[in-house]
Amino acid sequence: MSGGLLVAGTTSDAGKSVVTAGICRWLVRQGVKVAPFKAQNMSLNSFVTREGAEIGRAQAMQAQACRVEPTAQMNPVLLKPGGEQSSQVVLLGKPVGEMSARGYHGGRQQRLLGTVLDCLAELRGTYDAVICEGAGSPAEINLRRTDIVNMGIARGAGFPVLVVGDIDRGGVFASFFGTVALLAPEDQALVAGFLVNKFRGDVSLLEPGLDMLHGLTGRRTYGVLPFRHGLGIDEEDGLRVSLRGTVRESVVAPPVGEDVLRVAVCAVPLMSNFTDVDALAAEPGVVVRFVDRPEELADADLVIVPGTRGTVRALEWLRERGLADAIARRVAEGRPVLGICGGFQLLGEHIEDDVESRAGHVDGLGLLPVRVRFAREKTLTRPVGEALGEHVEGYEIHHGVADVTGGDPFLDGCRVGQTWGTHWHGSLESDGFRRAFLREVAAAAGRRFVPAPDTSFAALREEQLDRLGDLIEHHADTYALWRLIESGAPQGLPFIPPGAPA
């Protein structure tokens, strides 16, 4: 096999990331050497590769589905929103500056097409197949001229395109037809067909519609994937997380001890790497929810202030909403609080920021003996260490440099009583450390909670990826998919008017 495929979607959140991961895992189980690729990703959830490059977490998970190490070539352009109008541009794993949406789409994006095609060519020279993920919809007619992630990459590489639609939202037939009908003839020629995602019910009731869709477009449907709970991989966009009431899915198994443990995560603006709490939600008896009101901290056994792309903005938000005072009261009462990355920084005494917010000197919450200065160069590392007598691995992504002046050492940060702070993302994925930390939290909270002795977060991730592979293997036409990846889009696909506007 030698080829590739672009997985596009009728909308954002149609299921492109999980379908891409599922196809990757299915191919790997067939003995195919495969790699994921997303030319351009907009995400506040990112990861650090072994060579110190920053890429989207979804692509890191897709690399895990392929059973290969993630590299910068798998996500050459990463956009990290810093507000409604601008993003940090990360190119080949390193930040190259801030840019407005108008400036990026006004010329910079198109100039990156050569770079992303070079990365794709490098992957194609190394792997048997490359499964690409698009972004948003390929029919964004206002952005097609500068597109480097959907039809731009498909046309540049000559890859066939599979369009995924989320039928759970309704309107999937109109979305499939409209997506094709708004593409130029050259782009339509690459759209091989469709994949229905999140179907509930009897597939035989859907089949007449699929036949009609084939008659209207000349394109077949390659599979109908049933709705399954808990199959999402690391979300791309923290901006789309509900600011209140969102609960991370937890293992169904009952708690080992007599009590559950309640974790409240402050849903700060520009929240980044909120996937840090997934390892907690994987523990039987741990309930994780996102909150934005001070009264919601009252019954929490642990409060987490997560990472953010806007530390000073998050600090102001906590104060405006009364959460800062509620956190300070918790600390005074000796109740557990954990700050991660930006959340660690704002727990400190003061922040000197002439880089991210350009606010200059800002007083922090003063809950940890830490002073933070923002540096222009971003720290991107994969640290390894020990805490609470356990081995810990993590990754760091931050401009803030912390000067720790007191407290007890904790993962290159510090601890004072039951207030903890670290720049390390992903530390809670280390099973022994996570269990030790939860025991400390339970003791401080007076809960008779006992961590499960055998929860392996890495094994749960592997099981999740295998379930995605099973979805493709059992509910998609894998023979047709194989031919598509190997031979490209079928010849003679009809043009569906009106096509893209001039």
Side-chain angles (χ1 to χ4, degrees), residues 184-200:
E186 297 85 353
D187 290 341
Q188 286 195 23
L190 294 172
V191 178
F194 313 107
L195 188 74
V196 177
N197 191 29
K198 296 185 181 179
F199 180 72
R200 305 173 191 250

Side-chain angles (χ1 to χ4, degrees), residues 230-304:
L231 284 184
I233 63 173
D234 294 353
E235 289 93 335
E236 293 187 344
D237 195 347
L239 294 176
R240 285 200 294 268
V241 173
S242 168
L243 286 183
R244 187 168 59 83
T246 303
V247 178
R248 307 301 282 175
E249 287 203 34
S250 300
V251 173
V252 179
V256 175
E258 297 179 47
D259 289 342
V260 299
L261 209 61
R262 296 171 177 83
V263 179
V265 184
C266 297
V268 296
L270 298 174
M271 182 166 47
S272 61
N273 285 66
F274 59 86
T275 48
D276 282 334
V277 303
D278 284 351
L280 295 179
E283 285 284 348
V286 176
V287 179
V288 180
R289 67 183 189 272
F290 291 91
V291 303
D292 68 348
R293 299 185 302 197
E295 58 267 28
E296 293 175 302
L297 305 187
D299 68 342
D301 302 306
L302 169 66
V303 168
I304 295 179

Side-chain angles (χ1 to χ4, degrees), residues 38-46 54-56 59 75-82 86-92 94 96-101 104-105 108-109 112 135 148-149 236-239 309 378:
K38 186 161 185 173
Q40 172 195 293
N41 197 348
M42 177 172 280
S43 179
L44 286 168
N45 287 335
S46 57
E54 184 180 10
I55 66 172
Q59 279 59 66
N75 179 207
V77 181
L78 173 64
L79 305 178
K80 303 196 72 174
S86 67
S87 294
Q88 182 181 67
V89 180
V90 180
L91 180 61
L92 293 175
K94 303 296 180 184
V96 294
E98 296 278 336
M99 189 166 289
S100 68
Y104 184 69
H105 291 288
R108 177 64 183 270
Q109 183 182 36
L112 295 174
I148 65 170
V149 65
E236 293 187 344
D237 195 347
L239 294 176
R309 254 279 284 157
K378 182 183 282 190

Side-chain angles (χ1 to χ4, degrees), residues 322-404:
L323 284 159
D325 289 338
I327 292 170
R329 285 194 296 272
R330 286 186 63 90
V331 170
E333 294 165 1
R335 303 174 67 194
V337 174
L338 170 64
I340 303 174
C341 200
F344 164 46
Q345 295 167 5
L346 60 82
L347 292 179
E349 295 167 350
H350 73 252
I351 299 166
E352 196 69 38
D353 181 10
D354 296 317
V355 176
E356 190 175 79
S357 68
R358 297 181 175 84
H361 180 92
V362 178
D363 288 333
L365 297 184
L367 304 176
L368 285 175
V370 177
R371 300 172 182 176
V372 176
R373 175 185 55 81
F374 274 70
R376 298 202 175 275
E377 185 174 346
K378 182 183 282 190
T379 298
L380 296 167
T381 62
R382 291 270 293 269
V384 176
E386 185 177 297
L388 302 179
E390 299 287 346
H391 176 79
V392 190
E393 298 182 14
Y395 56 99
E396 295 187 48
I397 306 169
H398 55 91
H399 285 279
V401 178
D403 177 20
V404 179

